[in-house]
Amino acid sequence: MKVNCEFCGTELDPNRRSNCMKHVQAWVEPGKSSGIKLVTDGVGWAHRTCVEMEEKKRKGKWEQKESLF
């Protein structure tokens, strides 16, 4: 099965688990990032690097660097 990345739009293979992430819904206590309960499958897939870049953008820790090399 091939799917498209939610962020960059290019194709990815969800069977290569080290390279992709799956969007899910879950319950978690406010202010915590662990202790997730009742995980439900979502419909989105993305490259791990795309998710990491998006996380940095949302936290304001990312800037595009231009280079000739």
Side-chain angles (χ1 to χ4, degrees), residues 4-61:
N4 290 334
C5 175
E6 294 290 319
F7 296 100
C8 71
T10 61
E11 192 176 82
L12 66 94
D13 183 357
N15 295 320
R16 292 188 61 209
R17 303 208 182 247
S18 64
N19 186 37
C20 67
M21 298 184 88
K22 185 177 183 180
H23 184 206
V24 298
Q25 293 182 339
W27 292 94
V28 64
E29 290 182 56
K32 294 189 175 184
S33 60
S34 63
I36 295 172
K37 307 285 185 198
L38 296 174
V39 176
T40 304
D41 282 344
V43 294
W45 290 90
H47 295 105
R48 179 178 301 278
T49 54
C50 290
V51 171
E52 290 168 353
M53 279 195 315
E54 183 64 23
E55 182 179 32
K56 288 178 183 178
K57 285 181 189 177
R58 292 183 186 190
K59 289 182 177 179
K61 297 179 181 177

